[in-house]
Amino acid sequence: GVTQSPTHLIKTRGQQVTLRCSSQSGHNTVSWYQQALGQGPQFIFQYYREEENGRGNFPPRFSGLQFPNDSSELNVNALELDDSALYLCASSRGPSYEQYFGPGTRLTVT
Amino acid sequence: QKEVEQDPGPLSVPEGAIVSLNCTYSNSAFQYFMWYRQYSRKGPELLMYTYSSGNKEDGRFTAQVDKSSKYISLFIRDSQPSDSATYLCAMIANQAGTALIFGKGTTLSVSS
């Protein structure tokens, strides 16, 4: 399945953070979502063949990478208190409605 | 108006009850409709997906889509305590789409 690391993370406002995701075997597309408490996941961006393939309404301080082995990173610069959320990675076989989620990384910004 | 509306509940039912979970949406371009189950502090798990209008059944779960009313439903028969979770509906316009658009989720509690 999809794996994510770390499980939990506490950062201070203004710091930078990197979250990691390994996609499910055979999946070459990774999408990142932010889920605030009590809300549904919000799409951040998607990576396909190591290029950004769509982006939601998130500022440029949210950036990502996809590697040749289809794993991915989400980087957030200049952390704000509102960035506290569960960050979810989803993989799929190509860009698709059929996306499978990892367990998430819970980020707390103090 | 949000693109996808979902009553957050909470919804409490006794074991064995039939549960009905619903979402409405405003974007008529949506063609694919998904239901995810999310246990506390876990990632969403894909339960079912449906293309366009109609019904789809999988064990105790039935998904219905009414595109004319922009309304989708998930029915759970013979509900079990293990069904206690948050249920999220999600939608997308294209088969090769990027962004799933989610509702807020409905929290379900099934008591034994």
Side-chain angles (χ1 to χ4, degrees):
Chain A
V2 180
T3 60
Q4 292 185 243
S5 63
T7 306
H8 297 95
L9 206 49
I10 300 175
K11 290 286 189 178
T12 302
R13 189 171 52 183
Q15 286 188 315
Q16 177 265 342
V17 69
T18 297
L19 310 181
R20 295 179 174 83
C21 170
S22 291
S23 58
Q24 188 168 314
S25 177
H27 287 187
N28 59 6
T29 303
V30 176
S31 305
W32 286 91
Y33 292 80
Q34 179 195 67
Q35 186 177 23
L37 201 61
Q39 303 295 317
Q42 297 280 317
F43 176 72
I44 303 175
F45 43 56
Q46 182 182 85
Y47 278 83
Y48 173 56
R49 292 181 175 174
E50 300 177 50
E51 295 204 359
E52 189 177 288
N53 187 49
R55 188 178 184 94
N57 189 25
F58 280 80
R61 59 189 184 85
F62 286 78
S63 63
L65 283 173
Q66 185 183 26
F67 300 99
N69 66 355
D70 295 324
S71 65
S72 178
E73 284 182 358
L74 164 66
N75 299 290
V76 187
N77 293 322
L79 283 167
E80 300 178 0
L81 296 179
D82 283 350
D83 295 334
S84 295
L86 181 67
Y87 287 84
L88 295 161
C89 163
S91 74
S92 56
R93 204 181 299 271
S96 172
Y97 60 89
E98 195 174 345
Q99 298 182 18
Y100 294 88
F101 284 82
T105 293
R106 186 162 299 279
L107 172 65
T108 302
V109 182
T110 62
Chain B
Q1 182 191 10
K2 296 199 78 172
E3 276 193 289
V4 179
E5 300 277 3
Q6 185 175 10
D7 186 339
L11 184 60
S12 296
V13 301
E15 183 176 357
I18 297 174
V19 176
S20 172
L21 304 166
N22 312 294
C23 290
T24 59
Y25 62 95
S26 57
N27 187 347
S28 58
F30 288 142
Q31 296 264 45
Y32 293 85
F33 304 91
M34 279 65 66
W35 285 97
Y36 284 84
R37 177 174 63 194
Q38 186 173 26
Y39 291 113
S40 182
R41 298 188 172 274
K42 302 291 186 184
E45 171 194 1
L46 181 61
L47 280 176
M48 300 180 71
Y49 57 85
T50 312
Y51 170 69
S52 194
S53 285
N55 294 359
K56 186 174 184 178
E57 189 173 317
D58 183 2
R60 296 185 295 111
F61 298 88
T62 300
Q64 283 186 354
V65 175
D66 181 349
K67 289 193 71 182
S68 63
S69 301
K70 297 191 179 69
Y71 188 87
I72 71 169
S73 301
L74 178 71
F75 296 96
I76 307 175
R77 291 183 299 280
D78 188 26
S79 56
Q80 303 295 310
S82 59
D83 295 327
S84 298
T86 296
Y87 289 80
L88 296 154
C89 63
M91 311 177 187
I92 196 167
N94 301 311
Q95 182 177 8
T98 54
L100 295 178
I101 308 301
F102 282 87
K104 288 179 74 169
T106 299
T107 300
L108 172 67
S109 176
V110 182
S111 57
S112 57

